[in-house]
Amino acid sequence: QQNGHFVVDKWEDPSLSKWTHTQRKRYKGTDVTSAPLSKAKIYLLDRIGFPWESDRDEVMWQMRYDELVQFGEEHGHLRVR
């Protein structure tokens, strides 16, 4: 959450990205290779605000929007090439 969200770049940290995906599947009971998450693990993830539904698209949109705003502030226009 150091970046303000729980979207883990699968290219930057493939292991953590897979782990978060697996936790969501275990929570939903759709991971046939692992046991469902225990109440204690659900509690710990809830405590840090872990989203049970991936918000990747929304977070990525916001990040790109922020980049565009910064570009506009630095260059005085939004004509990105």
Side-chain angles (χ1 to χ4, degrees), residues 13-66:
D13 194 337
S15 177
L16 184 58
S17 177
K18 183 177 180 179
W19 185 84
T20 58
H21 180 72
T22 299
Q23 300 321 297
R24 288 185 178 107
K25 287 174 59 177
R26 290 178 68 196
Y27 176 77
K28 295 175 188 176
T30 60
D31 185 355
V32 296
T33 62
S34 302
L37 281 177
S38 68
K39 289 181 181 181
K41 290 178 180 174
I42 292 170
Y43 169 78
L44 289 172
L45 290 168
D46 279 343
R47 216 172 90 190
I48 62 170
F50 183 78
W52 295 110
E53 295 294 325
S54 176
D55 56 354
R56 176 178 299 280
D57 291 339
E58 183 62 31
V59 170
M60 295 307 293
W61 188 94
Q62 186 64 48
M63 288 171 62
R64 300 305 290 196
Y65 172 80
D66 293 343

